[in-house]
Amino acid sequence: MEAQARGLLETEPLQGRDEDTVASADFPSMLSEEEKEELKAELVQLEDEITTLRQVLSAKERRLVEIKQKLGLNLMNELKQNFSRSWHDVQTTTAYKKTHETLSHAGQKATAAFSNVGTAISKKFGDMRNNEITACARLNPFQTKVGGTNHGGGSFEEVLSSTAQASAQSSAGGPRRAEEEELQC
């Protein structure tokens, strides 16, 4: 019963089994001859109207295509316009605005965090380098990283000796790279 009630409320044309259900009812025996004639006339009129409406719709669709062609509108342009309109509609929603704001804020925090990590790593490498130079200076206080002398103290003989050693190393090994000089004590 519910399916029949639902079927009566639907605006879709009758399909297969719906037509069978209607055909199985014995309506013709319940109608007088006059009612049958009126229904037949209405049926013919409705079929004519449907045919006319289809023709009008077809003509209007052709005219629509002609106008779009004259205006230079094609399927791709329509899709672009629809996409732009839809994207604009999405951007104006409250949910999009809140999400955009949250992600923007998170991106700023992530950028700051990466910057802090980079600074910390640079500082750590700088500290390690300084510790290495300090350790080398403690082991040999008269030799600097480029083989010069420490003018802060020591006897004249020690300064001459360290300068001679640095000069001998420089001429025996050829030109040294800066990294080798930094790592030697």
Side-chain angles (χ1 to χ4, degrees):
M1 177 75 172
E2 184 179 309
Q4 287 177 343
R6 187 171 21 105
L8 293 175
L9 297 176
E10 292 177 0
T11 58
E12 296 292 318
L14 295 178
Q15 301 290 324
R17 64 183 159 85
D18 296 329
E19 290 174 351
D20 293 341
T21 304
V22 171
S24 66
D26 194 18
F27 289 120
S29 64
M30 299 157 73
L31 299 174
S32 67
E33 285 300 317
E34 185 178 316
E35 290 174 327
K36 287 180 188 178
E37 291 302 319
E38 287 176 12
L39 289 175
K40 286 181 182 179
E42 185 179 352
L43 178 65
V44 169
Q45 182 182 359
L46 284 173
E47 288 173 344
D48 288 343
E49 287 176 6
I50 290 171
T51 303
T52 303
L53 289 173
R54 285 185 180 145
Q55 291 170 349
V56 169
L57 178 61
S58 178
K60 291 201 180 272
E61 286 175 339
R62 282 193 302 270
R63 179 67 180 144
L64 176 74
V65 170
E66 289 173 8
I67 291 171
K68 284 182 178 182
Q69 287 175 344
K70 287 180 181 179
L71 292 174
L73 300 177
N74 58 24
L75 181 60
M76 191 59 153
N77 287 342
E78 286 185 50
L79 289 175
K80 287 179 186 177
Q81 288 174 351
N82 288 342
F83 180 75
S84 295
R85 192 177 314 117
S86 297
W87 180 242
H88 179 264
D89 292 347
V90 167
Q91 287 178 319
T92 58
T93 63
T94 305
Y96 176 85
K97 288 177 182 176
K98 286 182 181 178
T99 303
H100 183 269
E101 182 180 314
T102 302
L103 291 177
S104 178
H105 186 66
Q108 291 170 355
K109 287 196 177 253
T111 299
F114 284 131
S115 177
N116 289 341
V117 167
T119 302
I121 289 172
S122 295
K123 185 179 182 311
K124 187 65 176 175
F125 279 136
D127 291 347
M128 290 170 48
R129 184 173 179 262
N130 289 339
N131 287 342
E132 184 178 297
I133 291 170
T134 305
C136 286
R138 272 187 255 139
L139 292 174
N140 191 352
F142 301 107
Q143 183 179 7
T144 63
K145 74 177 185 179
V146 292
T149 58
N150 184 355
H151 300 290
S155 70
F156 182 71
E157 290 84 23
E158 290 173 335
V159 171
L160 282 176
S161 174
S162 75
T163 303
Q165 286 177 351
S167 177
Q169 288 176 351
S170 176
S171 63
R176 288 189 289 168
R177 296 184 311 183
E179 297 86 26
E180 293 171 348
E181 292 173 342
E182 286 179 357
L183 297 177
Q184 282 191 337
C185 294

